[in-house]
Amino acid sequence: MGAKTEKLLAVLKLQPVVPVLIVEDVASAVPLARALVKGGLKAIEITMRTEAALEAVSRVAQEVEGAVAGAGTILNPAHFAAAVEAGAQFIVSPGTTQELLDTARKSDIPLLPGAATASEVMALRQEGYQVLKFFPAEQAGGAAYLKSLSSPLAGTMFCPTGGISLKNAKDYLSLPNVICVGGSWVAPKDLVARGDWDGITRLAEEAFALTA
């Protein structure tokens, strides 16, 4: 197992649920991340879907003790480079391109690449990846589909993301090939908007307590 795989596993094993955040207002990034860390969720994926995202990664990386800031929705080499420069400690992509894989190969920062089919998983295995994001999890076939991959593609571990909630997280976490899940439910827009950080900490504690 390569050093970058070990580095990625160390991040993903911190908790059963990785918060997937869309940060609209950079001012909320630090208190939101602190609330999540307080509840036990240290690895935090901030998606590059808003203008505030890169600054949010930077602030969380610099200002939130205990947080492991990651960047998600990385679509191309320029995204990858910008996220790493901002301080991202892990990179997540919804799918993969050869250009993205080439960029990741040259970086010390680990990539969690997305895959939704057996062929995509096989292609990424050939590139040396043993830990993948299964996305979009529910829409691509859910826990039953992922379970069916566990035997023919043994040795590959997944972080399913997409459509996962407190209700179905255990369905995934009980699978032998799932290391953790990604979810946005731990940071609901309404709680973030009104700055209910205690409420988010409670959701984080509930998510941290999830086991198979």
Side-chain angles (χ1 to χ4, degrees):
M1 189 179 291
K4 277 197 281 190
T5 301
E6 293 280 10
K7 197 184 285 188
L8 184 60
L9 280 171
V11 171
L12 299 180
K13 285 179 176 177
L14 288 170
Q15 61 215 28
V17 180
V18 175
V20 178
L21 309 181
I22 298 174
V23 178
E24 302 283 356
D25 177 9
V26 73
S28 69
V30 167
L32 172 56
R34 283 183 177 143
L36 291 166
V37 171
K38 187 178 178 182
L41 306 185
K42 295 179 180 179
I44 298 167
E45 177 189 336
I46 297 169
T47 60
M48 297 293 109
R49 301 184 201 182
T50 67
E51 290 184 7
L54 279 174
E55 179 68 18
V57 169
S58 179
R59 289 202 191 177
V60 170
Q62 291 176 33
E63 300 176 33
V64 183
E65 189 176 350
V68 180
T73 322
I74 298 297
L75 306 179
N76 54 53
H79 277 174
F80 193 111
V84 170
E85 191 175 338
Q89 291 171 265
F90 64 101
I91 300 290
V92 187
S93 62
T96 43
T97 64
Q98 194 57 52
E99 291 80 7
L100 195 56
L101 293 173
D102 290 344
T103 300
R105 192 177 296 115
K106 299 170 195 166
S107 176
D108 291 334
I109 303 300
L111 170 67
L112 178 66
T117 67
S119 294
E120 289 169 354
V121 174
M122 288 167 65
L124 284 165
R125 280 163 62 115
Q126 284 191 327
E127 291 277 348
Y129 286 88
Q130 295 166 272
V131 186
L132 310 178
K133 171 177 175 171
F134 176 53
F135 177 84
E138 280 293 282
Q139 297 81 355
Y145 179 90
L146 201 51
K147 183 179 182 180
S148 71
L149 295 183
S150 63
S151 180
L153 297 172
T156 304
M157 297 298 290
F158 295 91
C159 172
T161 305
I164 297 177
S165 66
L166 190 62
K167 290 179 182 176
N168 62 5
K170 281 194 175 186
D171 296 341
Y172 289 94
L173 292 169
S174 66
L175 299 179
N177 55 345
V178 168
I179 187 169
C180 62
V181 300
S184 57
W185 84 86
V186 291
K189 279 185 178 180
D190 58 329
L191 295 194
V192 175
R194 64 175 183 260
D196 186 356
W197 310 125
D198 288 342
I200 286 170
T201 293
R202 282 193 295 274
L203 289 175
E205 288 171 343
E206 193 175 36
F208 185 75
L210 281 171
T211 52

